[in-house]
Amino acid sequence: MERVYHYIVSTGINYVTAQHCNNLKMAEEQKEEEEVAIHGDVLETILSYVPLTHLLPACFVSKTWNAAVSSSLSRFNKPKPWLLVHTQSIRRPHATAFFAYDPRSDIWLQINKKQPPQHVSPLRSSNSTLLHVLHPSNFSFSIDPFHLTWHRVNPPAVWRLDPIVAMVGPRIVVAGGACDFEDDPLAVEIYDISTRTWERTESMPATLKDSASSTWLSIAANTRTVFMMEQASGVTHSFNPDSKTWYGPFDLRPDRSIYFSVITCVGDNLIMLGLLGDAEDVNYVNLWELNGESLEFGKEIGVMPTELVEKLKGEGTSLNSIRVSCMGGFFYIYNPGEPGELVALEVGEEGWCRWGSLKNAAVSDRSRVAERVVLTCSDVGLGEIAKLVGSGNGIFTLLKR
């Protein structure tokens, strides 16, 4: 109305009716709405700076805004795979907490679940997306991004303490890690998700008898094959659940100075990360790509900058091992002994590498000694966020930097 009164004074009008004032007010408000209206590329650009969790309510403002959100996500700032960090207390009642890092917005979130799962046995991850818990009375696993749904099934017939667990298509392969009193420490069982049945199959190769557990083997899987690499030697075997056939051994290391290596899968191809030199004097941390079918050496993806290698060491003076969780072209690399610092790598389709580091917001001084820290990585979009919010079992809390 301030502009209305300015108009009245400037035109020398001393007396106006209430109707005149209302007409002037409506005209002025319409003019102001037209002046502040944002749409098209301007609106989409603004939305590109809004965190993904805040874009969900924006979709319900109007059809125009809903279309703008979709267009912004496809054109300006696309969703990127999230890092999900799960902590589990080593003391009863083994409480769990759930954190997430969104690289698109460069923010950490805590996801407060109203009904957090309670697991007595250790929580473990595999294949970057699979969470699982093995208990004498059941086997529980979850594969959705926010792990809203847990499937609880009968346990495998062979009791295991530290098995290799990998999801290959619609099957979950459980191998090795058997208790000392079991007859076959290399036993392999396959759980079919569609039929909900277990099947015993050919045991692991005898060459793996001294390393047949997730402590000593690095695991990767695509939709057809699971790969198992000895972290210390690089010797690798593969298993096809369809044909129930083992292949190998293969020596995949392209450099003899590698003293520790882990593997992961991007699509059908195998990615190997290697520590070169020795634990007290790490020369390089390299990534290589191998063909998923032939396991032939493909190319070197990148070399971690020296300052980031130092960050991985944390407060220690050596780097004995690393772990990796990845999805698509995003890799999160960490030292299991110092999980408070993460190295992030984004690999573009053209082959470029973007390195960086970030503090693990889920790790505190207390959690270093009193909690297990388990990482997964998943594609997260508005659909996944809507499902979490719609379930009523999750609230996002933005964490301070």
Side-chain angles (χ1 to χ4, degrees):
M1 283 297 292
E2 183 179 357
R3 290 187 182 180
V4 174
Y5 294 130
H6 280 312
Y7 171 78
I8 294 172
V9 173
S10 65
T11 54
I13 298 176
N14 296 318
Y15 176 82
V16 290
T17 64
Q19 184 63 44
H20 288 152
C21 276
N22 287 334
N23 290 342
L24 287 171
K25 179 181 177 182
M26 292 173 61
E28 188 67 12
E29 289 178 345
Q30 182 177 357
K31 182 179 178 181
E32 289 178 352
E33 288 179 0
E34 291 174 353
E35 289 176 350
V36 301
I38 52 176
H39 50 77
D41 287 350
V42 176
L43 176 58
E44 292 176 20
T45 302
I46 293 172
L47 292 173
S48 70
Y49 292 94
V50 179
L52 201 61
T53 51
H54 291 38
L55 285 179
L56 183 61
C59 294
F60 298 95
V61 172
S62 66
K63 291 182 179 179
T64 301
W65 275 57
N66 185 35
V69 169
S70 299
S71 181
S72 178
L73 290 174
S74 63
R75 295 177 58 203
F76 293 105
N77 194 359
K78 298 180 180 180
K80 298 176 180 179
W82 284 26
L83 175 68
L84 294 313
V85 183
H86 318 260
T87 63
Q88 181 189 35
S89 173
I90 61 176
R91 302 186 180 94
R92 291 185 179 274
H94 305 289
T96 58
F98 192 14
F99 302 83
Y101 173 70
D102 175 10
R104 174 188 174 274
S105 306
D106 189 25
I107 58 172
W108 278 95
L109 301 160
Q110 182 166 4
I111 303 175
N112 302 297
K113 292 188 175 181
K114 294 181 179 179
Q115 297 176 339
Q118 299 295 326
H119 303 295
V120 176
S121 298
L123 182 68
R124 303 178 188 272
S125 66
S126 182
N127 290 57
S128 290
T129 57
L130 173 67
L131 274 184
H132 59 90
V133 177
L134 182 60
H135 187 267
S137 63
N138 61 73
F139 174 65
S140 300
F141 63 92
S142 177
I143 56 178
D144 60 278
F146 291 123
H147 304 288
L148 295 173
T149 303
W150 280 86
H151 307 269
R152 181 170 295 185
V153 302
N154 292 329
V158 176
W159 175 233
R160 309 162 190 270
L161 292 176
D162 185 24
I164 295 96
V165 179
M167 187 167 183
V168 187
R171 300 180 180 91
I172 296 178
V173 177
V174 180
C179 294
D180 293 337
F181 57 78
E182 292 287 353
D183 295 333
D184 185 4
L186 301 173
V188 177
E189 295 173 81
I190 302 174
Y191 180 77
D192 191 310
I193 296 176
S194 56
T195 63
R196 300 181 181 180
T197 57
W198 288 96
E199 179 184 7
R200 184 78 175 261
T201 185
E202 182 183 354
S203 297
M204 300 172 70
T207 52
L208 293 176
K209 63 182 179 65
D210 294 325
S211 57
S213 71
S214 65
T215 299
W216 310 112
L217 293 177
S218 179
I219 311 302
N222 56 30
T223 56
R224 298 182 299 274
T225 306
V226 56
F227 304 91
M228 304 182 185
M229 170 185 278
E230 285 188 341
Q231 297 168 143
S233 69
V235 174
T236 304
H237 290 76
S238 64
F239 176 71
N240 186 313
D242 285 330
S243 62
K244 300 177 178 59
T245 305
W246 285 91
Y247 301 92
F250 310 99
D251 187 357
L252 304 183
R253 291 182 174 177
D255 193 312
R256 294 300 95 191
S257 65
I258 298 174
Y259 68 90
F260 184 91
S261 55
V262 293
I263 52 176
T264 186
C265 275
V266 175
D268 289 333
N269 288 338
L270 197 64
I271 307 296
M272 180 171 64
L273 291 78
L275 302 180
L276 287 74
D278 59 66
E280 301 297 329
D281 183 20
V282 185
N283 295 327
Y284 305 102
V285 179
N286 289 27
L287 283 83
W288 296 272
E289 182 179 40
L290 301 98
N291 184 286
E293 293 294 334
S294 64
L295 294 183
E296 294 178 350
F297 177 78
K299 61 181 180 180
E300 182 180 81
I301 295 175
V303 180
M304 185 181 295
T306 304
E307 61 271 20
L308 297 184
V309 177
E310 293 301 315
K311 282 182 175 292
L312 280 183
K313 291 182 181 179
E315 299 176 357
T317 59
S318 61
L319 184 59
N320 297 302
S321 64
I322 56 173
R323 297 288 185 271
V324 61
S325 188
C326 81
M327 178 62 65
F330 284 78
F331 300 80
Y332 297 95
I333 306 162
Y334 63 102
N335 175 356
E338 296 281 349
E341 192 77 37
L342 299 161
V343 171
L345 168 63
E346 180 182 1
V347 180
E349 294 181 358
E350 301 81 8
W352 51 261
C353 292
R354 182 181 293 123
W355 294 90
S357 66
L358 60 147
K359 292 290 184 181
N360 189 342
V363 175
S364 63
D365 291 339
R366 175 183 176 277
S367 66
R368 292 174 189 269
V369 296
E371 294 179 337
R372 300 182 185 92
V373 180
V374 181
L375 275 64
T376 58
C377 192
S378 295
D379 285 321
V380 174
L382 285 179
E384 288 72 27
I385 292 175
K387 187 174 182 179
L388 174 63
V389 174
S391 70
N393 191 28
I395 301 174
F396 293 100
T397 302
L398 181 65
L399 298 180
K400 294 181 179 180
R401 293 182 180 278

